[in-house]
């Protein structure tokens, strides 16, 4: 993957990510193994970056459909996003999930539906309620496939390792036709994400995401999300196609 040597190293120094690269991963399990059992639900609302709700450029608006993200887009991608926002306002949806397509990565970690973590010696599974999707994070020392063998998928290809009780996850191979959130903020298929996931209290989990996109961004985008433990919840079946709430009309609206 392409990199931003100066900016990325600066972000890495802040987040302790220096050395996190596409080939990370080893087989050792943390000791003791973190207790992440239970059902976790995103704490923040459904914009990808929670900072959007307090960004003064959104003029105090609080409804996700009425505000926008501020990713570090280059001029060309900012113009594309502005057009998406105009289309949304005209009733032409830019969010593929409106027609029941999967949200994909990195969006899936911010979608307002619960999830469960399963920690195994060679991988961590994240079981999502929405559309019964599964993230597989391999911690067995493997590397990402070569560029020629990397087939972009909704979840991408994730490898990781443990730093104490923190799971460091490196994800590539994400599809370029998914978006970050309901505002239809876009990314390319070269997007690359490093996450640092850890439990920060008995009832809360944290995921600090550092996102590079050498096609769309001028610098890395750092987003912090948290998740609340709900001990009395259970994951249930979610089938979007059984309740397709946003069918397209003949005119595309």
């Amino acid at each position: 993957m392409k990199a931003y040597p100066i900016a990325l190293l600066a972000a890495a120094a802040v987040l302790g990510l220096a050395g996190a690269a596409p080939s990370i991963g080893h087989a050792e399990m943390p000791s003791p193994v973190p207790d992440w059992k239970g059902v976790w639900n995103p704490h923040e609302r459904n914009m990808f970056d929670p900072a959007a709700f307090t960004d003064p450029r959104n003029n105090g608006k609080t409804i996700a459909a009425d505000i926008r993200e501020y990713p570090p887009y280059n001029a060309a991608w900012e113009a594309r996003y502005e057009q998406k926002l105009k289309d949304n306002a005209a009733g032409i949806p830019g969010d593929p999930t409106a027609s029941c397509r999967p949200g994909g990565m990195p969006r899936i970690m911010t979608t307002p539906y619960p999830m469960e973590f399963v920690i195994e010696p060679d991988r961590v599974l994240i079981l999502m309620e929405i559309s019964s999707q599964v993230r597989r994070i391999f911690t067995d020392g493997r590397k990402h496939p070569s560029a020629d063998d990397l087939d972009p998928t909704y979840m991408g290809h994730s490898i990781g390792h443990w730093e104490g009780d923190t799971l460091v996850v490196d994800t590539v191979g994400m599809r370029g036709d998914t978006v970050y959130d309901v505002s239809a903020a876009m990314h390319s298929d070269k997007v690359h994400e490093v996450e640092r996931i850890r439990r920060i209290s008995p009832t809360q989990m944290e995921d600090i995401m550092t996102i590079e996109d050498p096609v769309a961004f001028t610098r890395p985008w750092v987003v912090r999300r948290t998740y609340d433990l709900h001990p009395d919840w259970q994951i249930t079946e979610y089938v979007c196609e059984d309740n397709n709430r946003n069918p397209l009309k003949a005119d595309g609206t």
Side-chain angles (χ1 to χ4, degrees), residues 12-56:
V14 173
L15 297 176
L17 294 178
S23 61
I24 61 174
H26 53 77
E28 290 83 356
M29 284 279 282
S31 181
V33 177
D35 179 10
W36 292 1
K37 294 188 294 293
V39 176
W40 302 84
N41 198 61
H43 178 81
E44 294 85 10
R45 287 176 289 171
N46 61 335
M47 296 298 282
F48 184 79
D49 184 357
F53 288 105
T54 56
D55 193 304

Side-chain angles (χ1 to χ4, degrees), residues 99-176:
S99 57
C100 288
R101 290 177 58 192
M105 275 289 291
R107 180 180 185 174
I108 193 71
M109 294 303 293
T110 71
T111 303
Y113 288 91
M115 63 186 74
E116 291 181 290
F117 294 86
V118 179
I119 300 174
E120 299 182 341
D122 58 351
R123 64 182 182 175
V124 174
L125 304 179
I126 306 180
L127 312 179
M128 310 287 184
E129 180 174 272
I130 187 166
S131 299
S132 301
Q133 296 178 85
V134 180
R135 277 191 75 187
R136 294 172 176 84
I137 302 166
F138 299 102
T139 57
D140 58 0
R142 73 182 67 188
K143 298 181 179 180
H144 291 307
S146 67
D148 291 339
D149 294 331
L150 188 62
D151 181 23
T153 59
Y154 284 105
M155 289 299 180
H157 187 271
S158 295
I159 56 177
H161 70 272
W162 290 94
E163 294 181 3
D165 62 356
T166 299
L167 179 63
V168 183
V169 186
D170 189 292
T171 303
V172 298
M174 293 166 272
R175 291 171 61 121

Side-chain angles (χ1 to χ4, degrees), residues 187-204:
H187 57 77
S188 77
D189 63 356
K190 303 304 182 197
V191 66
H192 170 208
E193 179 177 25
V194 175
E195 298 166 271
R196 296 184 66 87
I197 306 173
R198 67 188 182 105
R199 190 169 187 165
I200 57 175
S201 80
T203 60
Q204 200 161 66

